[in-house]
Amino acid sequence: MVDKLRKRRLTSLLITFLLFLLGVSLGMLIDKERISWSERMHADNELLYESSNIQYLLLSQLDDTESECPVLLTALEKNIVELGENLERLLNYEKDSIFRNEKAYQMQKRKYFLSNVKYWLLSSKVADVCPEYDAINILYFYSTENCPICPNQGVVLTYYKNIFQEKLLVFPIDIDLKKEEPVIDLLISRFGLTTYPTLIINNQKYEGVVYKEKLGRIICAEFTEDYPECAVYKEG
Amino acid sequence: MFPTLLIIATYLIGMYFLVFWYLSVLDKDYQAPKQGWEKINKFPSVTVVIPAYNEEKNIASTMKSVISLNYPKDKLKVIVVNDGSKDRTKEKAEEFIKAHPDRSILLLSQPNSGKARAINNALSHTTTEFFVNLDADSEVHPDTLKKMIHIFQTHSAGENLAIVTPAMMVKSPANLIQGIQYVEYMFTIFISRILSRNNSIYVAPGPFSVYRTEIIKKIGTFDEGNLTEDQEIAYRAKSLGYDIKNCADAFVYTRSPRTIKALFRQRNRWYKGGLMNAWQYKKMLFNKKYGHFGCFQLPFNFIGYGLGIAALGFFGYFTLKPFFRGIKNLFIVGFDIKPYLRNLFRFDFNILDYNFMLGFFIAFSMLIILFFLFRVFRDYQVRLSRKNIISLIPYLFFFPVFQGFTIAVVLIELVFKKVQKW
């Protein structure tokens, strides 16, 4: 009986270990699939960027942009929103994953970061070509590792993103990636960043968390058109 | 990183015990209810001790269930100990005795001094070969005693078998709290069968455990200062090399707490007493002399407290933390939820969003527990009613959190040396 129980204890240990390995393998497999998904999404987005960029180049050659701009703007805004959503999903996957492939996640984040910068540049250029372009571009500098109050800024930005939808384009920049991406240093020195979070709204710098009321006023002041959502801020 | 490590450690430990129990069930020797009890022809004398404190509502039905036992009248004695009740427990017991003059029932009275002293008081008047302790809030099935005596007579442990424990069920669960306990007790019946098979029973439950009188008197009666004296006596018997077995179909029906507050109070006492007893007998921990009990069951009795705390921690981490983060986020935006409602019904399904690894561990643990429950319901031909299924969900997902919370309170109280009275 004693031997039987000892044997059973050891067998249980072995089975538990195998089950654990199975669970971990499943987790790693799913993680791999998540990275592949992210790569596919990013590749799609890159293609859409190329398309938008070529549209912009063509448009910039034309004198009359009135009829062509709306097509480009719709596509551009849709792509930027999609890029943001995919990046958010990637960050959630990273947070969720216990035995993650750090290198692969880092690589993906870099790709999304570069895409964000590319889209931000394109969006700024498009604004010059298309006068009816009335979207606000926000560069949002944050740190995951060294900024405990940054999530508060994220909450306020999400709140306004939900209100203004594609009229508000947020380009998040994780400054923790600066070790790998020298572009971040360039942006930091261009805008003279010293603290995080920092928002760049139409080349204007806002340091520290910009809370709901203030950000609402800033955003609404930047719009050319009068939107009903802004009524409350304009009255104030 | 710390929560991650905690999750992994908890699942590894929890899964190890579940797998061990699962393998025990698959064993062909897994103890099915013992047959042949109907044919016993030797009836040793038995005293049923009923300690009672403020049990005027239940005492008569408890006494009735004892005299209704399918056991020879002349071999069955009853001692009711009125433990200084402030209600009419004594009068009710006297009325019952008067109405049954053909039965050997003795009523003892003592100033209120606790259950253990009441049992010891009765034990000093006990001359029978066996004695039974029956809580005054419990009732016993007519065949239970016969089945348990049959175990004493047929088990290979022979004279070394000191205690036989029953299969406890919740009597007529009337609300969800009792429904959860009903499922819990069914699960405990199942685990007790495994523990019995593995010589690992560590508690002789108050409702109708049968003791060999000579052994209990020899090892020193019940510990009057102990919160869970029925567990302490079991630990003591094990530490002195005696055996304890479970009679898988010896049914006893106990009235369980009806409210969360009463349940918390009961569990606080159980867990506190359990921890103190495990600590008192720590010399058995990983001690090969005590075999599987020392190397597996006693460590589990300690680890169980850790698992309870972990359940509480996970609840906090996976539900309370996001909840409070949500409240904080709403505060930041002045509790204006309208913008969020726009995206509420947006369909954005991606199968990869699910945490498969954690899901695998949870699903696997739940499947084993459900298998155990299904098996015990089937073995005892208890219908898996809608009521049972409704109780099953909070039993699986919320009861561990309640247990974890109670354990946390117990640990805090022990640190501050607050000891609850019976």
Side-chain angles (χ1 to χ4, degrees):
Chain A
M1 182 68 186
V2 174
D3 279 348
K4 202 172 173 179
L5 287 173
R6 190 178 299 146
K7 207 170 143 189
R8 194 177 299 157
R9 287 201 296 266
L10 286 172
T11 313
S12 306
L13 200 64
L14 187 70
I15 292 175
T16 304
F17 184 66
L18 289 176
L19 282 170
F20 180 69
L21 278 187
L22 193 67
V24 170
S25 308
L26 184 71
M28 287 167 91
L29 199 74
I30 295 296
D31 219 40
K32 210 173 152 195
E33 195 47 47
R34 285 170 166 179
I35 294 286
S36 306
W37 170 87
S38 176
E39 276 168 356
R40 280 197 306 274
M41 291 296 113
H42 186 260
D44 286 354
N45 210 270
E46 278 291 282
L47 195 65
L48 291 169
Y49 171 80
E50 285 306 321
S51 166
S52 301
N53 196 30
I54 290 169
Q55 282 182 63
Y56 160 74
L57 290 172
L58 285 172
L59 270 175
S60 55
Q61 307 291 314
L62 299 172
D63 292 334
D64 175 26
T65 57
E66 208 171 297
S67 57
E68 308 299 330
C69 266
V71 182
L72 170 63
L73 294 179
T74 311
L76 184 67
E77 286 160 358
K78 188 174 159 279
N79 298 348
I80 293 169
V81 169
E82 211 174 277
L83 183 75
E85 285 172 356
N86 291 341
L87 174 61
E88 195 184 333
R89 202 165 231 145
L90 178 75
L91 294 176
N92 283 337
Y93 289 163
E94 188 189 25
K95 207 160 61 181
D96 200 35
S97 170
I98 294 178
F99 300 100
R100 60 175 163 258
N101 183 344
E102 291 283 357
K103 210 175 153 190
Y105 272 104
Q106 203 68 4
M107 191 71 87
Q108 283 303 302
K109 281 190 332 194
R110 281 176 66 186
K111 282 182 182 176
Y112 275 90
F113 157 73
L114 290 173
S115 293
N116 259 322
V117 176
K118 276 197 309 193
Y119 268 114
W120 172 68
L121 290 170
L122 180 63
S123 158
S124 311
K125 284 191 287 185
V126 168
D128 298 335
V129 180
C130 299
E132 68 268 46
Y133 184 58
D134 196 23
I136 309 288
N137 295 334
I138 300 183
L139 260 186
Y140 166 39
F141 291 90
Y142 70 99
S143 162
T144 321
E145 289 162 19
N146 303 310
C147 176
I149 55 161
C150 282
N152 293 0
Q153 188 64 77
V155 171
V156 181
L157 285 170
T158 308
Y159 172 79
Y160 282 113
K161 191 90 200 75
N162 283 324
I163 291 179
F164 296 109
Q165 307 277 321
E166 68 281 352
K167 290 196 288 285
L168 185 72
L169 302 175
V170 180
F171 303 90
I173 308 289
D174 183 353
I175 58 117
D176 299 331
L177 289 170
K178 74 174 172 185
K179 282 167 267 171
E180 292 90 9
E181 281 304 336
V183 183
I184 293 181
D185 275 328
L186 265 175
L187 289 167
I188 289 173
S189 81
R190 179 183 160 183
F191 293 110
L193 303 183
T194 51
T195 181
Y196 305 100
T198 293
L199 300 180
I200 306 293
I201 304 173
N202 287 355
N203 288 320
Q204 184 72 41
K205 184 170 71 172
Y206 300 91
E207 290 183 322
V209 179
V210 185
Y211 281 102
K212 187 187 156 197
E213 294 299 319
K214 189 177 173 189
L215 189 60
R217 278 198 300 275
I218 294 168
I219 291 171
C220 287
E222 293 290 338
F223 281 128
T224 329
E225 279 183 45
D226 274 340
Y227 295 107
E229 293 89 345
C230 281
V232 64
Y233 300 108
K234 294 212 163 150
E235 278 160 21
Chain B
M1 196 62 192
F2 181 69
T4 306
L5 291 176
L6 193 69
I7 291 169
I8 293 170
T10 306
Y11 275 101
L12 274 175
I13 294 166
M15 206 138 70
Y16 173 63
F17 286 102
L18 281 175
V19 169
F20 179 84
W21 287 335
Y22 182 75
L23 291 182
S24 301
V25 177
L26 294 185
D27 194 306
K28 62 180 177 1
D29 290 337
Y30 170 65
Q31 194 184 22
K34 219 163 177 135
Q35 301 301 310
W37 58 268
E38 305 94 333
K39 292 172 194 156
I40 69 165
N41 48 23
K42 274 175 69 186
F43 293 93
S45 55
V46 179
T47 299
V48 179
V49 176
I50 309 175
Y53 175 70
N54 290 348
E55 294 285 359
E56 63 177 11
K57 282 185 190 153
N58 303 321
I59 190 72
S61 61
T62 305
M63 290 170 80
K64 190 169 186 318
S65 85
V66 172
I67 63 159
S68 305
L69 280 168
N70 182 10
Y71 207 81
K73 276 184 193 177
D74 60 319
K75 297 288 184 182
L76 189 67
K77 292 180 177 175
V78 182
I79 301 179
V80 178
V81 187
N82 174 37
D83 184 25
S85 298
K86 293 181 181 115
D87 63 0
R88 297 186 68 247
T89 302
K90 190 180 169 203
E91 288 78 2
K92 290 276 180 186
E94 281 169 345
E95 281 168 24
F96 189 90
I97 293 168
K98 215 175 266 177
H100 299 85
D102 58 326
R103 306 303 301 244
S104 170
I105 309 176
L106 175 67
L107 174 65
L108 300 174
S109 281
Q110 64 177 36
N112 179 244
S113 36
K115 185 179 153 192
R117 183 166 295 177
I119 303 172
N120 286 340
N121 188 357
L123 200 53
S124 66
H125 292 80
T126 300
T127 51
T128 52
E129 193 178 337
F130 294 96
F131 83 93
V132 186
N133 168 39
L134 178 62
D135 290 347
D137 58 358
S138 306
E139 288 170 26
V140 57
H141 187 278
D143 294 327
T144 290
L145 183 58
K146 227 173 165 181
K147 288 174 181 173
M148 296 172 90
I149 292 297
H150 180 242
I151 301 264
F152 273 107
Q153 291 176 340
T154 55
H155 201 275
S156 56
E159 296 288 308
N160 206 44
L161 181 55
I163 308 169
V164 172
T165 66
M168 277 203 309
M169 282 179 146
V170 169
K171 184 180 161 66
S172 322
N175 62 15
L176 186 65
I177 307 285
Q178 288 179 318
I180 294 170
Q181 291 173 83
Y182 183 85
V183 178
E184 184 202 15
Y185 278 50
M186 291 298 284
F187 187 71
T188 306
I189 288 177
F190 188 80
I191 296 296
S192 298
R193 281 167 68 176
I194 299 173
L195 297 190
S196 184
R197 176 70 204 147
N198 297 342
N199 284 329
S200 303
I201 291 190
Y202 60 93
V203 61
F208 222 78
S209 286
V210 181
Y211 302 85
R212 200 182 287 276
T213 313
E214 190 195 345
I215 293 179
I216 299 303
K217 283 187 173 172
K218 200 161 105 185
I219 67 175
T221 69
F222 288 82
D223 180 356
E224 294 176 8
N226 202 289
L227 281 174
T228 45
E229 73 297 323
D230 50 359
Q231 190 180 58
E232 194 279 331
I233 197 92
Y235 269 115
R236 202 183 329 154
K238 292 296 289 186
S239 73
L240 295 169
Y242 292 104
D243 277 340
I244 304 172
K245 291 289 164 195
N246 173 253
C247 183
D249 59 345
F251 296 114
V252 181
Y253 308 96
T254 189
R255 290 175 187 82
S256 63
R258 285 176 66 93
T259 62
I260 281 273
K261 197 178 162 190
L263 183 65
F264 172 77
R265 198 173 152 72
Q266 181 198 56
R267 297 307 162 108
N268 184 304
R269 184 176 62 79
W270 285 8
Y271 300 156
K272 202 178 282 172
L275 191 58
M276 290 163 95
N277 286 329
W279 184 250
Q280 188 179 338
Y281 289 92
K282 60 184 180 297
K283 64 168 185 187
M284 298 163 83
L285 197 65
F286 295 114
N287 189 333
K288 281 185 181 170
K289 188 179 150 195
Y290 301 100
H292 182 74
F293 185 83
C295 295
F296 185 90
Q297 190 55 48
L298 198 52
F300 176 76
N301 291 359
F302 277 108
I303 288 168
Y305 287 85
L307 292 178
I309 294 287
L312 185 69
F314 293 154
F315 178 73
Y317 188 75
F318 289 113
T319 58
L320 292 183
K321 193 179 164 198
F323 175 76
F324 285 114
R325 195 194 297 135
I327 297 284
K328 184 190 140 203
N329 291 351
L330 280 177
F331 175 77
I332 290 172
V333 297
F335 291 95
D336 181 9
I337 57 164
K338 282 198 296 286
Y340 298 102
L341 295 178
R342 288 186 193 181
N343 290 336
L344 197 63
F345 298 106
R346 209 179 122 212
F347 187 71
D348 188 20
F349 175 78
N350 189 335
I351 191 132
L352 295 173
D353 290 352
Y354 293 98
N355 189 334
F356 281 84
M357 192 177 87
L358 205 59
F360 173 80
F361 290 146
I362 293 173
F364 193 83
S365 313
M366 290 295 164
L367 271 178
I368 296 186
I369 293 171
L370 284 174
F371 166 77
F372 288 166
L373 283 167
F374 170 76
R375 181 83 189 257
V376 73
F377 274 80
R378 194 196 65 183
D379 284 358
Y380 290 98
Q381 291 166 1
V382 176
R383 201 169 63 86
L384 200 58
S385 63
R386 203 171 61 182
K387 217 165 150 183
N388 290 334
I389 293 170
I390 290 171
S391 305
L392 193 62
I393 295 159
Y395 170 70
L396 288 175
F397 295 100
F398 296 111
F399 196 60
V401 178
F402 167 79
Q403 289 174 306
F405 173 75
T406 314
I407 289 169
V409 172
V410 161
L411 293 177
I412 291 166
E413 287 180 353
L414 283 175
V415 168
F416 291 101
K417 303 211 184 315
K418 184 186 168 194
V419 177
Q420 185 186 2
K421 284 188 178 161
W422 225 91

